[in-house]
Amino acid sequence: MSDIVTPAILSKFNEDGAVCLRNVFDQHWIDKVATGIQKTMASPSEYGEKLPGPGGLGVYFNDYCNWQKIPELKEYAFDSPAAEIAGRLMRSEYAVFYHEHVLTKDPSTHKVTPWHQDQAYYPIDGVKNCSIWMPIDPVSMETTIQFVRGSHRWGKWFHPRHFATEHKYTVLQDVHQHREYHDIPDIDGSSEQYELLQWEVQPGDCIVFHMMTLHGAPSNTSLTTPRRILSTRWLGDDAVLAERPWKPSPPVLGGLKTGDKVICDTFPIVWRDNLHVH
């Protein structure tokens, strides 16, 4: 794994908040993920969404937290290179599998993924975390995910938005965190103020990003190629369960209480750094 998570890659991840890794998943894992995505779409959970866009023929589908009922997703989380990649990029003694998120855009899906920051949605505090965004289709520069370089280091939390409406989440409680949540800046309308990162990717590649990094994605305007993604969420050894002023997404707590380390059957440790095993 040291030939994948090199010191240069680690430095890039810490500095930029997102890195692209090439050819890290072989055909076995691409096929496993493809089957897992297909099963998720055929039998979505209560969290699943199908979001049409204006004027397009396709839909943006997303669903999460299905790994316990879909063996291919569980096998990917526990046995693929993903967990070790996450653990090493997080510089953590171990990697906890938080959940998986299936994200697909049919050909001619005119639905953007709004700019957002993942960690504000999650009931998770801690700086050691990442998501691994793995495509099973070729993703062009016109349809790929985009990041605001270095935004994970701004020290700012942003108010989460619903993907369906792009409206902000409703504040339900004062959680006394002494933390201000900001509105998402108009990144598309003032792109000269920000350095954006994006990569064309192929099956076998992945993009790894920090949960505080601002990101979004355009429509899939291709008439022939879907954009099917498995994004897996990973937590490190400083992650604790936290309250949010709104209903968290996903609203899954694994029986834990605020302040607990995020380790349980719902959020299992799937990789440990042998250098830290005593």
Side-chain angles (χ1 to χ4, degrees):
M1 193 59 62
S2 60
D3 58 333
I4 297 175
V5 184
T6 63
I9 289 292
L10 191 55
S11 177
K12 270 285 188 189
F13 178 74
N14 292 333
E15 182 73 17
D16 294 349
V19 291
C20 181
L21 305 178
R22 302 291 186 186
N23 299 311
V24 293
F25 297 103
D26 62 22
Q27 194 61 47
H28 171 80
W29 293 116
I30 296 168
D31 292 342
K32 285 283 184 185
V33 168
T35 302
I37 289 175
Q38 182 181 25
K39 288 184 176 180
T40 300
M41 297 180 73
S43 182
S45 76
E46 62 184 296
Y47 310 124
E49 293 182 304
K50 290 184 177 180
L51 307 177
L57 301 175
V59 297
Y60 175 25
F61 171 85
N62 78 93
D63 193 17
Y64 46 54
C65 299
N66 291 299
W67 66 270
Q68 289 172 309
K69 70 176 185 181
I70 298 180
E72 291 82 1
L73 298 181
K74 181 176 181 179
E75 188 176 341
Y76 172 85
F78 279 72
D79 298 331
S80 83
E84 184 173 353
I85 289 171
R88 296 203 181 281
L89 281 173
M90 295 186 298
R91 293 182 173 174
S92 176
E93 293 187 15
Y94 53 79
V96 168
F97 180 49
Y98 182 35
H99 66 275
E100 94 295 336
H101 199 165
V102 168
L103 305 152
T104 73
K105 290 184 180 181
D106 296 332
S108 190
T109 296
H110 297 173
K111 176 66 177 173
V112 303
T113 306
W115 289 98
H116 64 285
Q117 174 194 64
D118 286 350
Q119 197 164 354
Y121 291 78
Y122 304 153
I124 302 294
D125 280 354
V127 299
K128 296 182 182 181
N129 61 63
C130 68
S131 290
I132 299 180
W133 195 87
M134 177 195 169
I136 61 167
D137 304 296
V139 182
S140 70
M141 289 291 280
E142 290 73 33
T143 60
T144 195
I145 190 170
Q146 299 174 309
F147 304 89
V148 179
R149 180 177 181 265
S151 53
H152 65 307
R153 295 185 287 105
W154 290 353
K156 283 187 173 183
W157 289 74
F158 292 97
H159 205 120
R161 298 191 287 180
H162 295 280
F163 283 15
T165 63
E166 301 192 18
H167 294 161
K168 293 194 298 186
Y169 272 36
T170 301
V171 173
L172 301 175
Q173 60 180 341
D174 181 357
V175 297
H176 306 293
Q177 286 181 319
H178 306 292
R179 176 183 291 159
E180 181 180 359
Y181 290 89
H182 302 265
D183 288 342
I184 301 285
D186 182 8
I187 293 165
D188 294 320
S190 52
S191 56
E192 72 282 350
Q193 297 181 29
Y194 306 100
E195 184 177 351
L196 301 184
L197 300 174
Q198 62 187 105
W199 296 271
E200 179 179 303
V201 286
Q202 298 293 324
D205 301 340
C206 69
I207 297 170
V208 190
F209 59 96
H210 195 276
M211 291 177 183
M212 291 290 282
T213 305
L214 278 172
H215 60 286
S219 302
N220 182 12
T221 55
S222 169
L223 300 179
T224 56
T225 305
R227 198 215 67 175
R228 294 172 295 172
I229 307 297
L230 180 68
S231 195
T232 47
R233 321 299 191 183
W234 302 90
L235 305 175
D237 53 40
D238 69 341
V240 296
L241 198 77
E243 289 186 293
R244 294 287 180 258
W246 35 77
K247 183 180 179 180
S249 176
V252 178
L253 306 181
L256 302 177
K257 302 184 300 295
T258 300
D260 285 350
K261 283 278 191 183
V262 186
I263 304 170
C264 60
D265 290 344
T266 307
F267 312 126
I269 294 176
V270 298
W271 174 83
R272 288 184 183 273
D273 186 348
N274 291 332
L275 295 177
H276 292 93
V277 174
H278 300 292

